Amino acid sequence: AQSVAQPEDQVNVAEGNPLTVKCTYSVSGNPYLFWYVQYPNRGLQFLLKYITGDNLVKGSYGFEAEFNKSQTSFHLKKPSALVSDSALYFCAVSHSGNTGKLIFGQGTTLQVKP
Amino acid sequence: SAVISQKPSRDICQRGTSLTIQCQVDSQVTMMFWYRQQPGQSLTLIATANQGSEATYESGFVIDKFPISRPNLTFSTLTVSNMSPEDSSIYLCSVVTPSYEQYFGPGTRLTVT
């Protein structure tokens, strides 16, 4: 069965420091991987995706993620965190059949402190 | 990208009633999806709304409880029937672009009393 795990309920980081939000997945076939962000009382916003190609993908708002096939991971990163990055982050996976069905992780709350 | 709107944005309903949620997309799309986000939880796929055919439901969701319509390539509705407090959630529709990016509507926040 396909699954996504975000092992940390919350990540705390100081403004200006690098941040990492972890995600591991289990899927048959080639994975399509996504990161979304949800701000309070707002919808889900697309950040970035990995479909194929370079393992390091860049997305919106300075975020990037690294696909690691051997570790089945797709960690979200940003070199320098902003207070405005504080939000709920979801990792999601779809398999290579790309029916469009996404399986979401449980979410990680990122708290960036000034 | 795709611009998606949903109506209503929120509603408070009584137990036993039904609510129909509308989803409108600014471009024609083949597949639309309906997700549920229960309080403090992640998103769970309810069903795929296919234009011109029956919706396909995920395990744990049935047509009698969540009937879906897809009359054209830009519009879909989800009805939450015979509601109970356990149906209190945010309901979101989404679409997939040709570049495999999935975009979500702003959601409908449903509270059942």
Side-chain angles (χ1 to χ4, degrees):
Chain A
Q2 298 173 105
S3 64
V4 178
Q6 292 179 243
E8 302 153 318
D9 290 336
Q10 182 158 329
V11 169
N12 298 309
V13 64
E15 186 175 31
N17 283 0
L19 69 88
T20 298
V21 182
K22 296 180 180 178
C23 172
T24 59
Y25 65 90
S26 174
V27 66
S28 57
N30 295 320
Y32 290 9
L33 294 155
F34 305 85
W35 276 101
Y36 289 86
V37 59
Q38 188 174 42
Y39 296 98
N41 299 316
R42 292 173 63 179
L44 218 58
Q45 296 181 30
F46 172 83
L47 275 181
L48 51 79
K49 69 182 181 191
Y50 171 82
I51 304 297
T52 187
D54 290 341
N55 290 341
L56 184 65
V57 294
K58 295 186 183 296
S60 306
Y61 312 121
F63 284 94
E64 57 189 28
E66 186 169 12
F67 171 63
N68 187 316
K69 187 173 183 178
S70 63
Q71 297 186 2
T72 62
S73 67
F74 189 57
H75 301 331
L76 182 69
K77 301 180 180 183
K78 187 173 183 180
S80 179
L82 299 172
V83 172
S84 58
D85 292 330
S86 299
L88 180 59
Y89 290 80
F90 289 101
C91 180
V93 67
S94 174
H95 64 69
S96 59
N98 192 37
T99 59
K101 299 179 183 181
L102 291 180
I103 297 170
F104 283 84
Q106 285 302 108
T108 298
T109 299
L110 173 65
Q111 186 72 42
V112 182
K113 298 185 178 179
Chain B
S1 66
V3 178
I4 305 170
S5 61
Q6 287 185 234
K7 291 181 181 179
S9 59
R10 60 178 63 225
D11 207 341
I12 301 173
C13 301
Q14 290 192 339
R15 180 195 300 260
T17 63
S18 298
L19 176 71
T20 296
I21 302 167
Q22 299 178 8
C23 178
Q24 179 77 50
V25 188
D26 68 341
S27 58
Q28 294 186 339
V29 292
T30 303
M31 290 187 291
M32 296 177 74
F33 303 89
W34 287 98
Y35 288 82
R36 180 175 73 180
Q37 186 177 21
Q38 294 177 299
Q41 304 277 330
S42 184
L43 284 81
T44 302
L45 180 65
I46 298 171
T48 303
N50 306 303
Q51 197 272 331
S53 64
E54 293 273 335
T56 54
Y57 290 82
E58 298 302 304
S59 176
F61 298 96
V62 295
I63 187 171
D64 289 346
K65 176 67 175 178
F66 297 102
I68 288 171
S69 77
R70 182 82 196 274
N72 58 52
L73 291 174
T74 64
F75 187 79
S76 177
T77 68
L78 169 76
T79 299
V80 186
S81 303
N82 188 26
M83 287 184 285
S84 66
E86 292 72 35
D87 294 319
S88 297
S89 297
I90 299 173
Y91 292 86
L92 303 101
C93 66
S94 72
V95 302
V96 179
T97 69
S99 58
Y100 305 116
E101 295 169 6
Q102 188 158 152
Y103 291 91
F104 288 81
T108 296
R109 185 179 295 269
L110 171 62
T111 302
V112 183
T113 60

